[in-house]
Amino acid sequence: MAEDSPVTKPCVADEGGTGQEASTGGTLLHGGDLDGARAVFPGAPEPWVDLSTGINPWPYPLPPVRPDAWNRLPGRGEEASLRNAAAACYGAPSAEVVAAASGSQALIQLLPRLRAPGRVAVLGPTYAEHARCWALAGHEVRMVEEVEEADVLVIVNPNNPDGRRWPAARLLEIADAQAARGGWLVVDEAFADMRPEDSLAAHAGKSGLVILRSFGKFFGLAGLRLGIALAPAGLAAALREAIGPWAVSGPGLAIATAALCDRHWIEATRRRLAAAAAELDRMLEGAGLRVIGGTELFRLVEDPRAPALYRALGEAGILVRRFEGRADRLRFGLPDAAEDWERLGVALAAERRRALQPLETSAS
């Protein structure tokens, strides 16, 4: 699951039938858009601290890659190795239910074209690309707050940006109901690596169930561009056929296969990210902000001061994520180096002092 992009989106009805909400005003930057941030905040100090994405700031250390991976097309064996590694890492039954693409965004765009147009419900608020891509493929799409009957139901678990989690048992019930009517349940598990007990990967291959996994988020290698779909064997084969050969580069296959097999690094990283998320909570709450959700890769705060805080952070060279229709919310990714944590702490403290000044003045 990539970050939202600023491209024009087709109209998608919400539960009130009003369509997309209007922008909160100003330039709405998508996650990781440092060029846009520099244009909006031209006086900000460099280098920027980019906290606008949910990407692990401590990426998997790149292993040696054989030179011939760069100068020849990858073979079927390399792709098979990746699919086997993904199945083992995620706990899926076999490589037969695995399809790999150049990023989960590619899978999000392709899936709607493998079904005849129908009714699609996207449980939200969530990542906008799901609704956009199903609508562009001619489906009737609604953003809904509760599960409702539809040909395709899309649920992000854990959700972006609020971290809402669905019990696996409940999702399996929904999957059974969807399969009974010939429909699909698409579960986007882009942020599920931290808590494998939340994943439905062990049930991959179940009729009507499609699971999407994003390699780049947890492993911190978003530029590698790798997404994984876990689906019934027939649909997984159709996805591989539709994607075509050489969907993932040879170096990408080698690096991702090594990473997915590295259980020691995975377990250590889960502990590191959990500790960092807890530290970020303490910093945000210490600045008087209310953390209302998130995952170990990002935290969501809700505060009426959010627009002013967004501007103050931007002027300090720190980019966070804001949202259409919810000016009171900001999402913070994890800082990387100690100096990034310090810059964030200083900027948060300065904005808190500025916000308290009118109260102190009136009290005196």
Side-chain angles (χ1 to χ4, degrees), residues 151-304:
D151 300 309
V152 176
L153 179 62
V154 180
I155 297 177
V156 180
N157 187 52
N159 191 42
N160 177 16
D162 59 13
R164 177 184 181 184
R165 285 177 162 83
W166 283 75
R170 175 60 179 138
L171 289 176
L172 290 173
E173 290 176 359
I174 297 170
D176 285 340
Q178 288 296 103
R181 65 171 65 98
W184 289 354
L185 170 64
V186 178
V187 183
D188 188 329
E189 294 186 348
F191 293 100
D193 294 81
M194 284 296 302
R195 303 188 188 187
E197 64 274 14
D198 289 345
S199 174
L200 295 186
H203 303 276
K206 185 180 181 65
S207 179
L209 176 62
V210 182
I211 303 164
L212 302 179
R213 299 294 293 247
S214 173
F215 174 82
K217 298 286 194 301
F218 177 76
F219 288 94
L221 297 173
L224 188 143
R225 305 311 301 136
L226 173 63
I228 300 289
L230 307 174
L235 178 55
L239 276 167
R240 294 194 295 269
E241 179 69 20
I243 293 166
W246 314 303
V248 183
S249 71
L253 289 170
I255 293 167
T257 300
L260 290 164
C261 291
D262 195 336
R263 299 301 178 87
H264 175 76
W265 184 92
I266 290 170
E267 290 301 325
T269 298
R270 284 175 179 151
R271 293 191 296 271
R272 183 179 192 179
L273 292 174
E279 177 60 29
L280 182 57
D281 278 351
R282 287 190 287 270
M283 181 177 286
L284 295 170
E285 291 165 355
L289 299 170
R290 186 166 71 97
V291 178
I292 62 169
T295 73
E296 288 82 357
L297 285 170
F298 60 83
R299 312 306 287 162
L300 182 68
V301 303
E302 185 174 282
D303 193 283

Side-chain angles (χ1 to χ4, degrees), residues 32-159:
D33 187 5
L34 290 181
D35 289 338
R38 291 184 177 101
V40 175
F41 303 105
E46 296 278 352
W48 275 79
V49 177
D50 185 7
L51 308 181
S52 65
T53 71
I55 297 171
N56 181 359
W58 304 293
Y60 184 76
L62 296 179
V65 176
R66 290 173 46 176
D68 64 354
W70 297 97
N71 56 33
R72 65 172 178 82
L73 291 171
R76 294 180 181 177
E78 287 98 331
E79 183 194 353
S81 294
L82 172 72
R83 288 168 51 208
N84 278 298
C89 180
Y90 298 141
S94 74
E96 295 303 308
V97 302
V98 179
S102 57
S104 52
Q105 178 67 31
L107 294 166
I108 290 170
Q109 292 180 197
L110 179 58
L111 272 174
R113 290 165 171 76
L114 298 184
R115 279 191 71 99
R119 294 178 298 112
V120 177
V122 179
L123 204 71
T126 193
Y127 171 57
E129 285 297 292
H130 284 291
R132 187 184 80 90
C133 291
W134 284 96
L136 285 174
H139 299 264
E140 177 189 339
V141 182
R142 283 171 51 85
M143 293 290 294
V144 299
E145 294 183 358
E146 301 294 338
V147 171
E148 67 173 41
E149 186 173 316
D151 300 309
V152 176
L153 179 62
V154 180
I155 297 177
V156 180
N157 187 52
N159 191 42

